[in-house]
Amino acid sequence: MSELRFTLLSDGGSDRALIPILRWALIENAVQWSIQPSWADLRHLRKPPRGLANKIAAALEYWPCELLFIHRDAEGEELQRRRQEIGEAVSQAFARAQNLPQAVFVVPVRMSEAWFLTDLNAIRQAAGNPGGTQQLEIPAVHSIEALPDPKNLLYELLRDASGLSGRRRRKMQVNHAVHRIGQLKCEFNALRALDAFRQMEQDLRQVIGRCGWDAA
């Protein structure tokens, strides 16, 4: 079996939690190759690059791959406008690179944390209290792209689900819990209700077919 290496270049460190979602999307779309994911951690480079084009170039240099996922939250920009910005940066970076990978854009409308607000059981497990009985409410899937602050909502849900109080609640490592949600969930079908996810998956499906990654 051939190997497919993918690298995620993300806005921030917490966004590496997207890796299980991306891996699921590849498998769900019939990739037959062995999948080897990496996260481009630019923070520890001697001179961390500035600007998206330079970040893409650095990711290609230090984390070579066949598929580069480029994550940018839309953060108030129109989805297509943000995708255009990424495309321009890709063109600049690829113009001075060799052994070019395929590129797929990952552009949640608000923040990547919104994509983890779809499974109450996974939130309870990630909070370390799977049998908890606290009353928790998650938003309807179709509405999560309109939430003003999905990160804060997810963090509060995790704290509530933990059942902790006082100092222990305040010191809870919610970032780690978010990563656990992705690791615990085995499917992310609910995300297909979101325009941003459908666009990403459509692009990914085209790349998979073009590169023949759906053949053993």
Side-chain angles (χ1 to χ4, degrees):
M1 179 181 291
S2 299
E3 181 178 272
L4 170 59
R5 300 170 299 172
F6 83 74
T7 295
L8 170 63
L9 173 63
S10 63
D11 270 347
S14 64
D15 300 307
R16 67 183 184 276
L18 291 168
I19 285 177
I21 295 177
L22 302 176
R23 189 176 188 280
W24 173 83
L26 286 165
I27 295 171
E28 187 74 5
N29 285 281
V31 167
Q32 300 295 309
W33 295 20
S34 174
I35 300 170
Q36 301 297 328
S38 296
W39 174 59
D41 187 357
L42 305 177
R43 301 169 299 176
H44 301 301
L45 298 181
R46 197 161 82 178
K47 291 185 178 180
R50 295 179 177 272
L52 184 55
N54 291 329
K55 291 178 180 180
I56 293 170
L60 297 181
E61 179 178 358
Y62 293 103
W63 292 272
C65 59
E66 288 73 49
L67 174 60
L68 178 65
F69 286 105
I70 304 170
H71 159 259
R72 298 274 285 177
D73 291 333
E75 291 283 14
E77 290 280 357
E78 291 185 2
L79 179 61
Q80 293 307 317
R81 174 58 185 159
R82 184 66 84 198
R83 287 174 55 83
Q84 181 181 344
E85 291 175 0
I86 299 171
E88 291 169 356
V90 167
S91 296
Q92 294 176 37
F94 279 20
R96 56 182 190 264
Q98 297 179 342
N99 301 319
L100 299 179
Q102 299 294 315
V104 171
F105 308 160
V106 184
V107 190
V109 168
R110 288 291 180 184
M111 305 172 186
S112 61
E113 285 81 5
W115 286 10
F116 294 95
L117 285 167
T118 60
D119 190 322
L120 193 54
N121 288 331
I123 289 172
R124 289 190 188 277
Q125 291 183 59
N129 189 21
T133 58
Q134 298 84 355
Q135 183 68 31
L136 303 175
E137 292 186 12
I138 59 175
V141 174
H142 66 270
S143 70
I144 62 178
E145 289 185 327
L147 294 171
D149 191 350
K151 176 186 285 190
N152 184 62
L153 175 58
L154 179 59
Y155 283 10
E156 285 304 302
L157 280 170
L158 285 163
R159 291 188 181 101
D160 291 344
S162 72
L164 300 174
S165 60
R167 185 170 179 271
R168 294 179 66 197
R169 176 187 170 97
R170 292 193 299 272
K171 294 182 72 66
M172 180 182 174
Q173 298 295 313
V174 285
N175 277 338
H176 295 167
V178 173
H179 287 278
R180 289 200 67 215
I181 295 175
Q183 294 164 359
L184 288 164
K185 280 180 64 62
C186 59
E187 58 83 16
F188 297 89
N189 281 307
L191 295 178
R192 287 174 167 151
L194 306 179
D195 290 341
F197 186 86
R198 286 200 301 270
Q199 178 69 71
M200 185 277 290
E201 190 173 29
Q202 177 182 325
D203 295 345
L204 182 60
R205 194 177 296 117
Q206 291 175 356
V207 166
I208 291 169
R210 185 164 64 244
C211 295
W213 293 335
D214 51 355

